Amino acid sequence: MMKIEDIVSAFKKHQLQYGLDGDSGLKELYKWELVTKQYGHPNTDAMDFAKEINSIQLQNLCYPPQVTAYRSIAKYEPEEYRRSFRILFTETIDLQERVDSFTSTCKALWDNKIKSHFEQNTSAMCDERLISCFLTLKYPQKYTFYKSDVYSSLCNILGVESKKAGYKLVHFYELLNKYVVPVVENDKELMDSISKEIDNKGYIHSTLLIAQTALWYYVC
């Protein structure tokens, strides 16, 4: 089993050769672009919250039916949805509590108020992957994008037991900050290469996004 240092080293080798966008099989620069263009959004103080949610672009970072679902919640219940986002973005509340609250609120809104507009086998589709997207756009220095198989791989690498669904995201951030971010930060050559590339584009800096991308490179 590879160690974190080996994974970061392999990613650096790839980065120095291709950059974040030069390998047709692994184009990752778009994540920095998405975060930069939508930094601080969704804005929970937006006059028209449905319009604000509709403007969010996540490309392949969540599933297409999830986009339909969250736009529908915003369309039919904009003010309740706005409140759920305000709680999600309140940093003084424990993250797990916020994740639980957002997930349960979205499910309740869908099941009780929105499902009737659709086929009855639909759901809110509000999972940890989608929540990570919203958190990352709002606070990119503190959060990053999440995918279950990346989390599972990280648990395997570290020899730790994975959590059950609903508790994976918080655990992923804990593991990422404790074990991966320090290795990334200590690799000056890697940090300099990515900093130069994103500075040329005027994109936002995020060490967590570098760490996530290094793991993604290993997994894919």
Side-chain angles (χ1 to χ4, degrees):
M1 179 64 70
M2 288 183 80
K3 295 188 294 187
I4 298 297
E5 289 80 3
D6 300 327
I7 290 166
V8 172
S9 179
F11 174 62
K12 177 176 72 173
K13 185 178 178 183
H14 179 273
Q15 169 65 25
L16 294 177
Q17 182 176 356
Y18 296 103
L20 291 167
D21 216 34
D23 177 2
S24 60
L26 190 80
K27 287 185 174 289
E28 295 294 294
L29 190 62
Y30 77 96
K31 292 178 182 175
W32 273 265
E33 181 182 7
L34 278 179
V35 170
T36 303
K37 287 184 174 179
Q38 301 175 94
Y39 177 44
H41 292 271
N43 175 12
T44 54
D45 292 328
M47 288 288 289
D48 184 338
F49 195 63
K51 185 178 179 182
E52 172 71 5
I53 290 296
N54 276 330
S55 74
I56 299 294
Q57 300 295 321
L58 298 176
Q59 293 192 19
N60 65 342
L61 296 169
C62 71
Y63 303 108
Q66 289 182 299
V67 177
T68 302
Y70 73 67
R71 286 180 175 173
S72 297
I73 297 173
K75 175 184 176 182
Y76 292 110
E77 295 293 334
E79 293 313 311
E80 288 213 38
Y81 205 31
R82 185 199 301 271
R83 279 193 287 275
S84 70
F85 270 98
R86 282 185 170 150
I87 293 169
L88 181 64
F89 294 153
T90 300
E91 289 290 287
T92 51
I93 303 172
D94 176 73
L95 179 57
Q96 186 62 58
E97 195 179 324
R98 287 184 274 148
V99 170
D100 292 345
S101 171
F102 193 79
T103 306
S104 60
T105 299
C106 290
K107 184 181 187 305
L109 282 174
W110 189 273
D111 291 348
N112 300 329
K113 298 184 176 183
I114 298 164
K115 201 175 194 176
S116 58
H117 298 280
F118 296 88
E119 293 178 17
Q120 288 304 297
N121 64 350
T122 58
S123 73
M125 297 196 71
C126 179
D127 62 9
E128 292 170 285
R129 187 180 181 188
L130 181 61
I131 289 171
S132 79
C133 292
F134 293 139
L135 288 170
T136 302
L137 295 185
K138 193 71 174 179
Y139 305 118
Q141 276 80 30
K142 190 163 184 180
Y143 305 108
T144 192
F145 301 111
Y146 165 87
K147 207 173 180 190
S148 184
D149 52 358
V150 175
Y151 165 70
S152 298
S153 293
L154 182 56
C155 288
N156 287 335
I157 293 161
L158 296 172
V160 300
E161 191 175 345
S162 61
K163 304 283 187 182
K164 65 179 182 179
Y167 297 89
K168 294 180 177 184
L169 180 62
V170 172
H171 192 216
F172 176 63
Y173 289 146
E174 288 170 356
L175 296 178
L176 205 62
N177 279 303
K178 186 174 181 180
Y179 296 105
V180 187
V181 167
V183 178
V184 168
E185 286 179 332
N186 285 337
D187 196 320
K188 188 175 184 301
E189 197 175 16
L190 173 62
M191 293 292 286
D192 287 349
S193 173
I194 291 181
S195 290
K196 184 178 178 182
E197 188 173 359
I198 65 172
D199 282 344
N200 284 339
K201 296 280 190 179
Y203 293 161
I204 208 161
H205 285 252
S206 169
T207 308
L208 279 165
L209 189 48
I210 299 173
Q212 187 265 2
T213 305
L215 287 173
W216 178 242
Y217 173 68
Y218 167 74
V219 172
C220 75

